[in-house]
Amino acid sequence: MTQLPFPLAEEPEAEAREAGRLLFAGNVDFVKGVVAMSGMPPADRVEVCFAGRSNVGKSSLINALTGRKNIARASNTPGRTQEINYFALGTQRYLVDLPGYGYAAAPLPVVAKWQALLKSYLSGRQTLRRAFVLIDGRHGVKDVDHEIMTLLDRSAVTFQAVMTKADKISKAELNQNIDQTRAALAKHPAAFPELIVTSSEKGSGIETLRATIATLE
């Protein structure tokens, strides 16, 4: 049997699932919004970051992961959030919410400033273990997604694609977009060879993503 490139992540083993449950059932606290590298919290624990174009459902996914309704606030104006937002998962992990990308509304100097911060963060944060790049399940990978993936390649940061909004389209359309995403990921050397498919509303894939974060070393 031919192994598909970028197979879907399997259901977590019981031990990993429990580790994920415990990690996110504990305290989840907003630490700070960072606008410069000098404002980063101490690099004293493993951290993961979430990147995704505006309107990909990043805030909804973070809220679903943490089981809190408004820990990550979805903005009515895509791209309004220009800060790198840090959340502490107890004392074990930082979950880092990167600004949404691919928006047209922000002035160019603002975009340039946060892009510079993003590059500095990705290349200079030694405790960053994995980036999760969110791909809209309704659309698959777009050009702007390739841009962030290329930046991750250049920064030598392993990233894993997480497809969102899987419940919003038919199974056939989703499978088509999964195949398109696999083909796109094959062009990026930093891509982790597994896909996670999620629905924030239905809860699918959430346990898998929690377990993945909890078991990173």
Side-chain angles (χ1 to χ4, degrees):
M1 181 175 166
T2 305
Q3 178 67 49
L4 284 168
F6 299 96
L8 301 184
E10 294 183 1
E11 289 286 315
E13 300 282 342
E15 192 175 340
R17 179 185 282 110
E18 180 64 4
R21 186 190 72 76
L22 288 172
L23 178 64
F24 284 92
N27 290 339
V28 180
D29 299 302
F30 175 71
V31 178
K32 65 191 304 189
V34 177
V35 294
M37 287 298 287
S38 59
M40 292 283 170
D44 59 359
R45 67 195 76 177
V46 167
E47 63 191 63
V48 298
C49 68
F50 281 72
R53 65 178 180 264
S54 297
N55 203 33
V56 75
K58 182 154 56 67
S59 296
S60 297
L61 183 64
I62 291 172
N63 290 336
L65 272 174
T66 60
R68 280 100 170 149
K69 285 187 177 177
N70 294 307
I71 191 136
R73 288 187 289 279
S75 169
N76 292 326
T77 307
R80 190 181 68 183
T81 304
Q82 300 299 318
E83 298 177 332
I84 293 178
N85 289 311
Y86 267 81
F87 299 90
L89 306 177
T91 58
Q92 295 183 52
R93 297 281 189 275
Y94 280 131
L95 189 157
V96 184
D97 182 14
L98 301 179
Y101 55 82
Y103 49 87
L108 284 176
V110 172
V111 175
K113 185 179 177 183
W114 92 250
Q115 283 180 338
L117 174 61
L118 183 61
K119 287 176 183 176
S120 297
Y121 167 72
L122 292 176
S123 60
R125 192 69 173 171
Q126 298 301 318
T127 44
L128 177 60
R129 288 293 177 273
R130 188 169 301 175
F132 293 97
V133 176
L134 275 48
I135 305 298
D136 194 323
R138 301 169 300 177
H139 307 300
V141 175
K142 292 189 172 182
D143 288 345
V144 71
D145 296 314
H146 277 296
E147 289 178 26
I148 193 79
M149 291 176 189
T150 299
L151 179 56
L152 289 159
D153 290 337
R154 290 173 181 163
S155 304
V157 174
T158 300
F159 71 86
Q160 186 164 8
V162 176
M163 301 194 74
T164 61
K165 306 186 182 185
D167 59 309
K168 302 299 184 188
I169 54 173
S170 70
K171 191 72 183 288
E173 287 175 300
L174 178 62
N175 286 336
Q176 191 173 349
N177 289 338
I178 288 172
D179 287 341
Q180 184 263 6
T181 299
R182 285 179 170 134
L185 291 173
K187 301 171 183 174
H188 293 280
F192 185 79
E194 263 185 4
L195 268 174
I196 300 177
V197 178
T198 66
S199 162
S200 298
E201 281 191 20
K202 305 291 185 187
S204 56
I206 299 299
E207 281 192 338
T208 302
L209 187 49
R210 283 176 179 159
T212 300
I213 294 168
T215 54
L216 283 171
E217 294 181 358

